[in-house]
Amino acid sequence: MPAVVIIGAQWGDEGKGKATDLLGSRIDYVVKFNGGNNAGHTVVIGDEKYALHLLPSGILTEGVVPVIANGVVIDIEVLFDELTALRARGVDVSKLVVSANAHVITQYHRTLDKVTERFLGKRQIGTTGRGIGPSYADKINRVGIRIQDLFDENILRQKVEGALHQKNQLLVKLYNRRAISVDEIVDDLLSYADRLRPLVADTGLLLNEALDAGKTVLFEGGQATMLDVDHGTYPFVTSSNSTAGGAATGSGIGPGRIERVIGIVKAYTTRVGSGPFPTELLDESGEFLRNKGFEFGTTTGRPRRTGWYDAPVARYSARVNGITDFVMTKLDVLTGLAEIPVCVAYEVDGVRVNEVPVSQSDFHHAVPIYENFPGWTEDISSARTFEELPKAAQEYVLAIEAISGSRISAIGVGPERDAIVVRHDLLG
Ligand code: GDP
Ligand code: IMO
Ligand code: MG
């Protein structure tokens, strides 16, 4: 099983870290191909809880080679802080490889992220404020700084000068901020160069050689399908391709290498930040999901918006990503509900619509059409086979599977590493 992609099939925080962890020792390489330190993965191993923001969560699995590929934007300070923290907890981080072509997040990206959000006022995206969007904007605008630039001071200085030339005008004249000096940025970036050099390699070559040698490479997507800059709820999205196709462009492998696409869905839905969310619950059911599911951001601590499972969104994800298997997490959170509504279609201006509407305005005022399923009260956290789940829980999963566009191969029943029911081998 050469290249496998794991992506979020909703709006993020589906528990992608846990799914990666599940594949564990069968993986030789784990690759982060998009996003930056906006990602927040929580992985619970025994009594230890790890919150990762930039590093791929596969770094916690012994023997795996973690790779930060070209499609990522890197805040170098965060990178080293995260490595130091993991090392202090006894995690071997020595195998990490970083792409020479990945772009860098600098102080001016972080500043611009915050001031532009403030200026958007009511129209704000609700970004994580980590400078992700502005760094990708520079990449597309061809004024970005790449990791390899840190190893050539002349080039670095020229590029930073070029980038700041326009940005300082914006910062000072439009946003009423102080200008940022070229030296300040160059000195900061150069201070990491020596520590970074041994980690940097041609990761595209490395990954292709690994695949040629029959190694298993897992591509771990940050954020999720509905936050993808092309396929998500634009403009309320992140600034990269978080769908499965991003794994190819974001790492330098051919798309034909990808044999499995694993989509992670929660048994309900959550979203952080602004934008359409048809099944959102603003009542006590929403509070129930938030408190029971502990739906607060890993990165920003913000309360997540919560709602019922949205089958058209899952089907859309299955289609856009070519999902071969779903992993459904957090089924245990639904325990205790008398009835569980599932959105099976929408009503838009009085008309039933079965798929995610192509028009964003329609999606904004789409009203979910629900089908109700009976709940269960038994604790399911110790179930390890499908048969051990209460009948109603089995039926909920089967009903969702029938309308979500792909099979549900594993079901999360608790936050712990082994709290999972496997129905089909994800790599088989
Ligand atoms: P990611 O960003 O997709 O990696 O997800 P996050 O880490 O932001 O959020 C998922 C949260 O759900 C984490 O705190 C996990 O420990 C937790 N989690 C994962 N699977 C399950 C599950 O099956 N049940 C419960 N109760 N929690 C889970
Ligand atoms: P993980 O990896 C949930 C959301 C932000 C905002 C939008 C753009 O944990 O699933 P950005 O800072 O990327 O420019 O913000 O995307 N967002 C996430 N939501 N989980 C994430 O990461 C997210 N990363 C970004 O809240 O709405
Ligand atoms: Mg997260």
Side-chain angles (χ1 to χ4, degrees):
M1 179 58 62
V4 182
V5 179
I6 283 188
I7 45 90
Q10 297 161 323
W11 276 280
D13 306 315
E14 296 92 349
K16 298 179 289 286
K18 190 183 179 193
T20 302
D21 193 51
L22 172 71
L23 299 173
S25 58
R26 299 164 72 187
I27 302 297
D28 300 304
Y29 290 76
V30 63
V31 184
K32 180 178 170 76
F33 62 83
N34 79 304
N37 52 312
N38 46 346
H41 296 311
T42 318
V43 183
V44 181
I45 302 177
D47 296 335
E48 298 276 315
K49 187 170 168 181
Y50 299 88
L52 299 169
H53 302 292
L54 173 61
L55 292 165
S57 58
I59 198 165
L60 299 173
T61 307
E62 235 178 273
V64 171
V65 180
V67 177
I68 297 182
N70 57 278
V72 176
V73 287
I74 304 176
D75 186 322
I76 306 174
E77 187 183 356
V78 172
L79 174 68
F80 283 116
D81 283 353
E82 224 161 79
L83 287 174
T84 305
L86 286 180
R87 224 180 270 120
R89 293 172 75 173
V91 178
D92 175 17
V93 295
S94 64
K95 296 196 181 72
L96 178 72
V97 188
V98 176
S99 167
N101 289 346
H103 281 245
V104 164
I105 299 175
T106 68
Q107 187 206 322
Y108 51 81
H109 296 122
R110 289 189 295 268
T111 303
L112 281 168
D113 200 350
K114 288 180 191 128
V115 292
T116 47
E117 275 284 278
R118 207 166 305 143
F119 269 67
L120 280 173
K122 275 211 314 259
R123 289 177 297 122
Q124 74 176 25
I125 314 287
T127 71
T128 54
R130 301 297 192 262
I132 315 286
S135 178
Y136 277 117
D138 276 5
K139 171 178 173 174
I140 301 301
N141 228 354
R142 296 165 294 189
V143 291
I145 312 291
R146 295 191 293 175
I147 289 288
Q148 57 180 288
D149 298 329
L150 271 63
F151 309 128
D152 186 331
E153 187 175 343
N154 272 334
I155 292 280
L156 178 66
R157 193 167 291 278
Q158 277 174 35
K159 290 193 172 177
V160 173
E161 264 167 16
L164 279 176
H165 181 68
Q166 190 205 38
K167 287 184 180 67
N168 273 334
Q169 303 280 332
L170 280 177
L171 283 173
V172 174
K173 293 184 182 154
L174 186 63
Y175 296 125
N176 209 13
R177 289 300 190 103
R178 74 171 179 88
I180 294 171
S181 83
V182 173
D183 281 344
E184 198 180 334
I185 300 294
V186 170
D187 291 350
D188 179 55
L189 291 177
L190 285 179
S191 72
Y192 298 109
D194 287 341
R195 270 202 287 169
L196 205 51
R197 198 176 276 108
L199 309 181
V200 175
D202 182 344
T203 50
L205 179 65
L206 177 85
L207 293 171
N208 276 286
E209 284 177 349
L211 288 168
D212 289 343
K215 303 285 185 202
T216 302
V217 181
L218 178 68
F219 294 87
E220 197 182 296
Q223 303 90 42
T225 304
M226 300 307 277
L227 292 171
D228 182 284
V229 69
D230 282 279
H231 302 290
T233 47
Y234 189 91
F236 303 104
V237 292
T238 193
S239 299
S240 64
N241 284 118
S242 41
T243 42
T249 53
S251 74
I253 63 149
R257 298 263 203 185
I258 299 169
E259 294 204 356
R260 272 288 162 90
V261 179
I262 301 168
I264 318 301
V265 284
K266 276 184 209 186
Y268 50 96
T269 312
T270 64
R271 165 161 212 173
V272 191
S274 320
F277 178 2
T279 64
E280 181 169 21
L281 294 164
L282 299 168
D283 56 8
E284 62 277 12
S285 299
E287 270 306 303
F288 172 88
L289 293 175
R290 180 155 40 250
N291 292 327
K292 187 123 184 267
F294 200 68
E295 299 297 352
F296 298 90
T298 313
T299 300
T300 60
R302 286 182 288 180
R304 295 174 182 150
R305 300 160 65 193
T306 50
W308 300 124
Y309 188 80
D310 188 324
V313 163
R315 271 202 304 278
Y316 177 76
S317 263
R319 168 156 54 91
V320 172
N321 294 293
I323 289 173
T324 55
D325 301 79
F326 278 116
V327 172
M328 169 172 285
T329 59
K330 296 196 150 184
L331 186 64
D332 53 299
V333 173
L334 301 181
T335 300
L337 291 166
E339 259 195 343
I340 311 169
V342 170
C343 168
V344 295
Y346 314 108
E347 195 181 295
V348 180
D349 299 330
V351 178
R352 184 186 167 111
V353 176
N354 289 322
E355 303 301 331
V356 171
V358 70
S359 148
Q360 181 88 353
S361 310
D362 287 351
F363 198 45
H364 258 284
H365 63 259
V367 179
I369 298 174
Y370 288 113
E371 220 171 275
N372 288 312
F373 293 89
W376 59 91
T377 51
E378 300 91 326
D379 178 6
I380 61 168
S381 59
S382 57
R384 292 295 174 269
T385 64
F386 194 63
E387 292 66 38
E388 281 166 18
L389 292 172
K391 217 60 229 135
Q394 292 183 20
E395 270 155 22
Y396 180 74
V397 173
L398 293 176
I400 282 185
E401 180 173 59
I403 52 176
S404 294
S406 194
R407 65 183 187 177
I408 297 175
S409 295
I411 301 149
V413 291
E416 301 76 25
R417 185 178 216 175
D418 63 341
I420 194 143
V421 168
V422 180
R423 295 176 70 208
H424 308 285
D425 183 359
L426 292 176
L427 301 184

